[in-house]
Structure formats: structure tokens, C-alpha cells
Amino acid sequence: MIENKSLGSKIFDVLNVVFLVTVTLICIMPVWYVLCVSLSSKEAVNAGKVAFWPVGFNLFSYQKILGEGEFLGSFLISIKRVVLGTAISMVCILMAAFPLSRTKKQFPHKGVFMWILVFCMLFNGGTVPWYITMRSYHLMDSIWGLVLGTGLQVFNVILAVN
């Protein structure tokens, strides 16, 4: 470790810390404000009294959200999507990456397939063709539309190949 730092290095360190703390606060403050609003009374929020700390602390918002059956259902869908999505994505990624990790002698068309994958990654078809595809396969309003639609991420395939 360098013990004798120059004046320029010390100034840079101070400015770097100030900059990073500022960026951190800019990122954290909106989340903190939303948390304070959610923990404050409705009257204090409407009056604009909530700034950095909750005013008229209550948990009514959380009681209302957790009391509805739809919240638990949507939370269960999120859990299903994570579990199914991770499993299917890992299977698809590893099945695509394994042959691409072989040598040219073992898999002669490795370069062609890699270029196809990279082309598909760089030039995405867009939202409308994606919607038409999901509708054609009757995957609308289904967990499988969420899971199968993002089953093969090319960037992750490239990471697994390497």
C-alpha cells in the first residue's frame, strides 16, 4: 500500500467519496420517501408534512394490502415464476451452451450457431412480434407465457460457454 500519497491523490480520494455518497443518497432517498409515506397517516401525507420521517406512524396501508386475497395470489405467481423460470432457464442455457463449448472438431458448426445467437441477441424482433408469438401459442394469461418467453437468454448462454 502506498503510504505517502500526493496532494492530487488525496483530493481525488475526497472528491471520489463525496461523489459516491451523493450518488448513493440520490438512489436511496426516493425509496426512503416512499417507505415514509407508506408508514405515515393519510392526513399527514395529504397535508404534505411527510419529508424524511413518518408522521402519524401507522401500518394501515400494509394491513389493507396483506388483508386482500389478491396480494397473496400475486405473490404466489411471483414465486412460481422465479422457481419455474430459473429451472427452465438453466436447462435451456446449459443445453445450448454445452455443444457450443466443444471444439471445432467436436462440433463443426459451432461458429454458425454462435453467430445466429449473437445476431438474435443484438437485433431483437420487438414487442409486437413477441406478443403475436405468445398469442399464437395460446400463452397469454398463463404462467408459461412468462416463463417460456424468457427461457433462453443469449447473454447467459455466452457466459456459460466461456
Side-chain angles (χ1 to χ4, degrees), residues 98-137:
F98 179 74
L100 292 172
S101 67
R102 305 290 102 191
T103 63
K104 286 266 191 188
K105 186 176 180 183
Q106 293 171 323
F107 185 49
H109 302 292
K110 172 183 177 177
V112 174
F113 281 99
M114 191 59 96
W115 276 107
I116 290 170
L117 287 174
V118 171
F119 182 83
C120 291
M121 180 178 73
L122 295 176
F123 301 104
N124 189 355
T127 305
V128 174
W130 189 258
Y131 171 77
I132 293 170
T133 303
M134 290 294 122
R135 191 182 67 200
S136 298
Y137 287 123

Side-chain angles (χ1 to χ4, degrees), residues 59-80:
L59 297 172
F60 179 72
S61 303
Y62 294 99
Q63 289 172 348
K64 185 168 176 86
I65 289 173
L66 293 173
E68 296 179 8
E70 295 169 356
F71 175 78
L72 191 58
S74 60
F75 188 70
L76 186 61
I77 289 172
S78 298
I79 298 296
K80 277 193 226 177

Side-chain angles (χ1 to χ4, degrees), residues 6-25:
S6 67
L7 179 63
S9 178
K10 291 177 184 177
I11 292 173
F12 173 77
D13 287 345
V14 169
L15 291 177
N16 196 19
V17 168
V18 168
F19 174 73
L20 291 175
V21 167
T22 304
V23 169
T24 303
L25 288 175

